């Protein structure tokens, strides 16, 4: 009986070990751990570098990091500078507002290539207005003009409000006088 529970416990432990095993594979592939700019970041100032930190040491000979804009145009950058598990590129041209893609290709310890990409957005409020940025402003201008045209009705509304206040005030005065008398 005791042996049976021991066997059952051992079986349960083995099952648990098998379940946990995939979380710690013998030869893990390299993966991106952190990035600056971060994935899906919305930046108020254009970055001048892109830094990617990986799980494993990078091989400088097989580390590629490229930056491209929404039109898939490749942005001029320096070659990746590798420091341990971190790769950095310098951005050689000022980034205008828009969405950019960082694409990388590195090599795992077992020699297998690992690649991926992510996007970030530059939205500098001080940047000159682009056609895309000007569009949201147009409806505001139209509505502002509309408000100006609605001037007289607004004045009428104010007059009506004043009239209501005056009528209510007069009524209250009448009620008070009646109570007093
Ligand atoms: Cu592999």
């Amino acid at each position: 009986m005791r042996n049976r529970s021991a066997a059952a416990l051992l079986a349960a432990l083995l099952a648990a070990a098998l379940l946990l095993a995939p979380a710690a594979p013998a030869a893990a592939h390299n993966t991106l751990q952190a990035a600056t700019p971060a994935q899906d970041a919305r930046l108020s100032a254009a970055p001048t570098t892109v830094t990617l930190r990986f799980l494993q040491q990078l091989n400088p000979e097989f580390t590629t990091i490229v930056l491209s804009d929404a039109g898939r145009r490749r942005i001029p950058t320096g070659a990746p500078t590798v420091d341990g598990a971190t790769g950095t590129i310098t951005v050689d041209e000022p980034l205008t507002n828009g969405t950019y893609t960082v694409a990388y290709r590195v090599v795992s310890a077992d020699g297998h290539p690992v690649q991926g990409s992510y996007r970030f957005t530059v939205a500098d409020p001080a940047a000159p207005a682009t056609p895309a940025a000007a569009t949201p402003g147009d409806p505001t201008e139209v509505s502002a003009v509309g408000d100006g045209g609605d001037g007289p009705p607004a004045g009428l509304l104010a007059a009506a409000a004043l009239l209501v206040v005056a009528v209510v005030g007069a009524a209250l005065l009448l009620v008070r006088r009646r109570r007093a008398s």
Side-chain angles (χ1 to χ4, degrees), residues 77-99:
T77 65
T81 305
V82 170
D83 178 14
T86 300
T88 301
I89 53 168
T90 55
V91 181
D92 292 344
E93 111 181 354
L95 298 182
T96 56
N97 285 351
T99 298

Side-chain angles (χ1 to χ4, degrees), residues 103-122:
Y104 58 84
R105 184 181 166 91
V106 300
V107 172
S108 290
D110 64 4
H112 287 161
V114 169
Q115 56 192 344
S117 66
Y118 73 91
R119 285 194 266 185
F120 68 85
T121 299
V122 176

Side-chain angles (χ1 to χ4, degrees), residues 6-91:
L9 183 65
L10 194 64
L13 282 174
L14 270 173
L18 283 174
L19 281 173
L20 290 172
H29 278 179
N30 210 350
T31 53
L32 183 62
Q33 298 290 291
T36 310
Q39 181 171 345
D40 297 326
R42 193 173 174 84
L43 309 168
S44 56
T48 54
T49 60
V50 174
T51 299
L52 305 182
R53 184 165 59 77
F54 289 87
L55 181 67
Q56 302 167 354
Q57 293 251 329
L58 297 174
N59 183 334
E61 285 181 51
F62 300 106
T63 298
T64 306
I65 303 171
V66 296
L67 183 63
S68 52
D69 66 13
R72 300 181 76 88
R73 185 183 72 92
R74 191 159 160 183
I75 306 295
T77 65
T81 305
V82 170
D83 178 14
T86 300
T88 301
I89 53 168
T90 55
V91 181

